[in-house]
PDB file of all heavy atoms in Angstrom:
ATOM      1  N   MET A 316     115.423  83.814  91.367  1.00 97.00           N
ATOM      2  CA  MET A 316     114.287  84.605  91.202  1.00 97.00           C
ATOM      3  C   MET A 316     113.466  84.682  92.387  1.00 97.00           C
ATOM      4  O   MET A 316     113.287  83.667  93.072  1.00 97.00           O
ATOM      5  CB  MET A 316     113.368  83.899  90.002  1.00 97.00           C
ATOM      6  CG  MET A 316     112.326  84.680  89.465  1.00 97.00           C
ATOM      7  SD  MET A 316     111.838  84.348  87.769  1.00 97.00           S
ATOM      8  CE  MET A 316     111.833  82.498  87.796  1.00 97.00           C
ATOM      9  N   GLY A 317     112.850  85.892  92.631  1.00 98.00           N
ATOM     10  CA  GLY A 317     112.026  86.033  93.931  1.00 98.00           C
ATOM     11  C   GLY A 317     110.497  85.591  93.681  1.00 98.00           C
ATOM     12  O   GLY A 317     110.124  85.433  92.621  1.00 98.00           O
ATOM     13  N   SER A 318     110.008  85.400  94.785  1.00 98.00           N
ATOM     14  CA  SER A 318     108.502  84.823  94.846  1.00 98.00           C
ATOM     15  C   SER A 318     107.567  86.166  94.264  1.00 98.00           C
ATOM     16  O   SER A 318     107.735  87.240  94.769  1.00 98.00           O
ATOM     17  CB  SER A 318     108.030  84.495  96.143  1.00 98.00           C
ATOM     18  OG  SER A 318     106.652  84.553  96.292  1.00 98.00           O
ATOM     19  N   THR A 319     106.731  85.863  93.391  1.00 98.00           N
ATOM     20  CA  THR A 319     105.717  86.956  92.954  1.00 98.00           C
ATOM     21  C   THR A 319     104.468  86.896  93.610  1.00 98.00           C
ATOM     22  O   THR A 319     103.546  87.496  93.301  1.00 98.00           O
ATOM     23  CB  THR A 319     105.428  86.643  91.282  1.00 98.00           C
ATOM     24  OG1 THR A 319     105.080  85.326  91.260  1.00 98.00           O
ATOM     25  CG2 THR A 319     106.844  86.880  90.622  1.00 98.00           C
ATOM     26  N   LYS A 320     104.493  86.166  94.803  1.00 98.00           N
ATOM     27  CA  LYS A 320     103.251  86.070  95.569  1.00 98.00           C
ATOM     28  C   LYS A 320     102.582  87.365  95.986  1.00 98.00           C
ATOM     29  O   LYS A 320     103.320  88.289  96.411  1.00 98.00           O
ATOM     30  CB  LYS A 320     103.525  85.210  96.885  1.00 98.00           C
ATOM     31  CG  LYS A 320     102.387  84.901  97.689  1.00 98.00           C
ATOM     32  CD  LYS A 320     102.727  83.781  98.684  1.00 98.00           C
ATOM     33  CE  LYS A 320     101.792  83.653  99.785  1.00 98.00           C
ATOM     34  NZ  LYS A 320     101.957  84.614 100.921  1.00 98.00           N
ATOM     35  N   LEU A 321     101.351  87.582  95.703  1.00 98.00           N
ATOM     36  CA  LEU A 321     100.582  88.720  96.135  1.00 98.00           C
ATOM     37  C   LEU A 321     100.168  88.611  97.668  1.00 98.00           C
ATOM     38  O   LEU A 321      99.334  87.570  97.937  1.00 98.00           O
ATOM     39  CB  LEU A 321      99.361  88.974  95.178  1.00 98.00           C
ATOM     40  CG  LEU A 321      98.638  90.217  95.416  1.00 98.00           C
ATOM     41  CD1 LEU A 321      99.381  91.440  94.834  1.00 98.00           C
ATOM     42  CD2 LEU A 321      97.196  90.175  94.685  1.00 98.00           C
ATOM     43  N   ASN A 322     100.591  89.461  98.454  1.00 98.00           N
ATOM     44  CA  ASN A 322     100.326  89.311  99.930  1.00 98.00           C
ATOM     45  C   ASN A 322      99.205  90.188 100.345  1.00 98.00           C
ATOM     46  O   ASN A 322      98.454  89.960 101.390  1.00 98.00           O
ATOM     47  CB  ASN A 322     101.448  89.630 100.729  1.00 98.00           C
ATOM     48  CG  ASN A 322     102.718  88.757 100.431  1.00 98.00           C
ATOM     49  OD1 ASN A 322     102.524  87.540 100.361  1.00 98.00           O
ATOM     50  ND2 ASN A 322     103.801  89.316 100.132  1.00 98.00           N
ATOM     51  N   LYS A 323      98.853  91.183  99.619  1.00 98.00           N
ATOM     52  CA  LYS A 323      97.867  92.191  99.948  1.00 98.00           C
ATOM     53  C   LYS A 323      96.952  92.662  98.690  1.00 98.00           C
ATOM     54  O   LYS A 323      97.527  92.673  97.571  1.00 98.00           O
ATOM     55  CB  LYS A 323      98.325  93.346 100.647  1.00 98.00           C
ATOM     56  CG  LYS A 323      99.087  93.152 101.996  1.00 98.00           C
ATOM     57  CD  LYS A 323      99.903  94.329 102.322  1.00 98.00           C
ATOM     58  CE  LYS A 323     100.687  93.872 103.713  1.00 98.00           C
ATOM     59  NZ  LYS A 323     101.878  94.906 103.927  1.00 98.00           N
ATOM     60  N   ALA A 324      95.804  93.032  98.958  1.00 98.00           N
ATOM     61  CA  ALA A 324      95.018  93.730  97.922  1.00 98.00           C
ATOM     62  C   ALA A 324      95.551  95.210  97.867  1.00 98.00           C
ATOM     63  O   ALA A 324      95.947  95.727  98.862  1.00 98.00           O
ATOM     64  CB  ALA A 324      93.542  93.750  98.183  1.00 98.00           C
ATOM     65  N   SER A 325      95.385  95.648  96.562  1.00 98.00           N
ATOM     66  CA  SER A 325      95.973  96.990  96.445  1.00 98.00           C
ATOM     67  C   SER A 325      95.170  97.872  95.303  1.00 98.00           C
ATOM     68  O   SER A 325      94.586  97.266  94.489  1.00 98.00           O
ATOM     69  CB  SER A 325      97.447  97.063  96.046  1.00 98.00           C
ATOM     70  OG  SER A 325      97.607  96.450  94.746  1.00 98.00           O
TER      71      SER A 325
END
Side-chain angles (χ1 to χ4, degrees):
M316 191 153 50
S318 161
T319 52
K320 185 167 167 270
L321 186 71
N322 301 314
K323 291 169 189 166
S325 67

